[in-house]
Amino acid sequence: MRTKILLDENDLPRKWYNIQADLPRPLDPAYNPQTGQPIGPEDLAPIFAKELIRQEVSTDRYITIPDEVRDILTLWRPSPLYRAHRLEAALGTPAKIYYKYEGVSPPGSHKPNTAIAQAYYNMKDGIERIATETGAGQWGSSLAFATQLFGLDCTVYMVRGSYDQKPYRKMMMQCWGAECIPSPSPLTNAGRAILEKDPETSGSLGIAISEAVEDAAGKSTTNYSLGSVLNHVCLHQSVIGLETKEQLAMDEAEADIVIGCAGGGSNFAGLAFPFVKDKLDGKSPDLEIIATEPTACPTLTKGLYAYDYGDVAGYTPIMRMFTLGHGFIPPSIHAGGLRYHGMAPLVSLLHQEGVIGSRAYHQNEVFEAAVRFARTEGIIVAPEAAHAVRTVIDCANECTKTGEEKTIVFNCSGHGHFDLTSYEAYFAGALPDYEYPADLIAESLKDLPRV
Ligand SMILES: *Cc1c(COP(=O)(O)O)cnc(C)c1O
């Protein structure tokens, strides 16, 4: 019985899969927050590369991956698909469990799959510097790595709470030549406004996005880059699912359940969308596809499908998505990542249409699953990925009850080597379970923009 299912370098996909060609209905338009008009390419041109804007709205089913991008992806791709024999045995489940491991990239997660592509297209457009935000530091370090390979400068606004708690990610960004600034910062109008109200704030992704967008919008040779949520990011991540389908076929397996954790939705989309295509095509009507998230930031399970800003200050396009309200600030006791208030419009639409499902978990049950995984499969997963592990174990236990031999596939989106303080807090019993209260969600949702 095989443990690792490996593809050859030549099998790295030559095209990305674009689910916009196959949606049950088209995405709703995004709106310009200043003019109230639908967004056109000219609205995005000041901060995004031309080709990325084209990809954002493209309905071509497949889009060719440039050779320069493929060359760099081969540093770690195709990534391995593992059969989790030891976890299966420990659970005593008849289910077969597979995981796609994205922790093999140099920064340790799936995020460089899009960082490389984005840095490449910006370089092609003559851009010299990219500004971005980062939460736990995974995205910042991925973009630092990517921009370095294409000779671009990089400034990362890092959520203050993580900047203080996770210094190693900041050092990685430095190793890859980027500048890392705690957010909110006094360098931008958005940052100064927040600091005036609350000098002790631990920040949020929404605030950091506002700072990075403001930085990029003010300079013609600086562009902005987002590590999740947008359509072109989901597109670039599709290599995960495309490879996984090949690898499952090599093991003569077919997925019954596909699982990914969802913050902004990109690693989930990357694994799931090529499978969603089969479901929409009627090839696998019974396939269950589950996005999993924390009860402390329950975007899909408790949020509203509505128009909202992507950031706190209201600089970004207004998009229709599942949201907890752009002013949502996750509780600082929440250690597991996945803290963004919104969700990728593509993932949101599929959730709204009932094509995909969602589940939410408390942080102790999530870390309990992560530790079980480490003690069987060896890999210490990122706390984000641990949400997927929790769902996998629950689904496998359901199979044990029913006797069904389902095939469960999940995206192990990254390793947790720089998140060990969260594991430490779990072992110390210092992680309170927290469910974001319904009345606070309702409060935050009062501020939705009108379109
Ligand atoms: C950033 C990150 C996530 C969450 O982001 P998505 O866009 O939802 O994928 C999940 N896992 C890891 C390891 C991450 O670094």
Side-chain angles (χ1 to χ4, degrees):
M1 283 203 298
R2 201 148 30 170
T3 299
K4 283 197 302 300
I5 302 148
L6 302 172
L7 290 167
D8 189 75
E9 240 168 69
N10 288 322
D11 301 325
L12 202 158
R14 292 179 188 276
K15 292 174 192 297
W16 290 300
Y17 168 61
N18 179 15
I19 200 162
Q20 288 197 76
D22 295 308
L23 292 175
R25 63 177 172 82
L27 282 175
D28 299 293
Y31 289 89
N32 181 317
Q34 265 113 45
T35 64
Q37 296 302 308
I39 290 273
E42 64 290 350
D43 294 298
L44 301 173
I47 58 169
F48 287 109
K50 281 192 294 292
E51 175 60 18
L52 294 172
I53 297 171
R54 199 188 70 78
Q55 291 175 1
E56 189 62 19
V57 296
S58 171
T59 51
D60 296 344
R61 185 165 289 117
Y62 293 99
I63 294 176
T64 299
I65 307 177
D67 286 341
E68 295 89 331
V69 172
R70 273 184 97 248
D71 275 353
I72 294 179
L73 292 180
T74 57
L75 284 173
W76 71 94
R77 304 207 75 85
S79 64
L81 181 76
Y82 285 88
R83 173 86 184 267
H85 292 298
R86 286 166 188 79
L87 178 62
E88 288 172 21
L91 295 172
T93 180
K96 293 184 196 149
I97 301 173
Y98 290 89
Y99 57 99
K100 181 71 164 164
Y101 188 42
E102 291 295 310
V104 292
S105 74
S109 77
H110 65 290
K111 290 196 171 78
N113 296 331
T114 184
I116 298 293
Q118 293 193 43
Y120 168 76
Y121 290 122
N122 277 291
M123 179 274 291
K124 290 296 263 187
D125 274 9
I127 290 298
E128 293 166 9
R129 173 174 166 270
I130 300 183
T132 195
E133 72 290 331
T134 196
Q138 286 276 18
W139 172 243
S141 53
S142 298
L143 192 68
F145 163 65
T147 47
Q148 183 63 32
L149 292 178
F150 288 112
L152 305 176
D153 291 333
C154 182
T155 298
V156 181
Y157 293 87
M158 183 170 186
V159 175
R160 167 114 246 166
S162 304
Y163 184 93
D164 294 336
Q165 282 167 19
K166 303 194 170 175
Y168 293 112
R169 286 274 165 204
K170 171 179 71 191
M171 294 167 205
M172 290 170 79
M173 292 178 224
Q174 274 172 345
C175 282
W176 284 313
E179 168 190 37
C180 180
I181 297 166
S183 165
S185 80
L187 304 178
T188 64
N189 292 329
R192 281 189 294 272
I194 299 280
L195 285 174
E196 234 162 71
K197 268 195 271 172
D198 182 6
E200 300 302 315
T201 178
S202 55
S204 76
L205 260 188
I207 296 168
I209 294 175
S210 299
E211 291 207 274
V213 170
E214 184 182 325
D215 181 326
K219 302 172 194 78
S220 64
T221 53
T222 298
N223 264 355
Y224 168 72
S225 173
L226 192 61
S228 186
V229 180
L230 299 179
N231 306 338
H232 65 262
V233 178
C234 295
L235 173 78
H236 301 153
Q237 294 296 353
S238 66
V239 289
I240 301 171
L242 293 170
E243 288 176 7
T244 301
K245 287 181 72 176
E246 296 286 323
Q247 289 162 308
L248 284 174
M250 285 164 69
D251 216 35
E252 288 168 17
E254 240 177 271
D256 296 301
I257 308 177
V258 172
I259 296 167
C261 66
S266 74
N267 88 86
F268 169 78
L271 175 68
F273 284 2
F275 290 92
V276 170
K277 177 178 192 300
D278 288 350
K279 185 165 175 170
L280 293 171
D281 288 352
K283 272 188 222 150
S284 51
D286 298 329
L287 179 64
E288 207 182 332
I289 305 171
I290 308 170
T292 129
E293 62 184 14
T295 50
C297 186
T299 314
L300 285 171
T301 49
K302 295 272 180 69
L304 218 58
Y305 187 53
Y307 271 102
D308 198 4
Y309 301 107
D311 67 328
V312 170
Y315 294 154
T316 69
I318 302 171
M319 296 177 297
R320 191 165 184 210
M321 59 183 175
F322 275 87
T323 179
L324 294 166
H326 56 278
F328 173 86
I329 297 186
S332 57
I333 46 91
H334 172 63
L338 309 175
R339 299 161 148 264
Y340 187 57
H341 70 272
M343 185 57 64
L346 286 168
V347 173
S348 296
L349 184 148
L350 292 166
H351 191 260
Q352 178 68 10
E353 295 292 319
V355 180
I356 63 171
S358 58
R359 297 191 188 186
Y361 296 95
H362 285 291
Q363 51 187 351
N364 283 296
E365 56 187 345
V366 165
F367 278 96
E368 192 256 333
V371 169
R372 241 162 137 176
F373 194 75
R375 291 179 184 177
T376 50
E377 294 298 313
I379 295 171
I380 298 170
V381 302
E384 292 88 347
H387 289 76
V389 177
R390 177 74 260 166
T391 312
V392 169
I393 292 178
D394 287 357
C395 289
N397 286 340
E398 285 156 29
C399 286
T400 309
K401 276 195 207 127
T402 61
E404 288 172 292
E405 293 177 26
K406 288 189 177 171
T407 296
I408 304 172
V409 185
F410 80 99
N411 194 359
C412 191
S413 52
H415 67 64
H417 299 179
F418 303 103
D419 306 295
L420 288 171
T421 46
S422 300
Y423 279 85
E424 183 185 31
Y426 167 68
F427 288 127
L431 290 183
D433 278 340
Y434 181 88
E435 185 149 350
Y436 209 83
D439 54 328
L440 284 184
I441 294 176
E443 189 62 36
S444 162
L445 285 170
K446 276 190 191 147
D447 281 338
L448 294 180
R450 238 176 296 216
V451 294

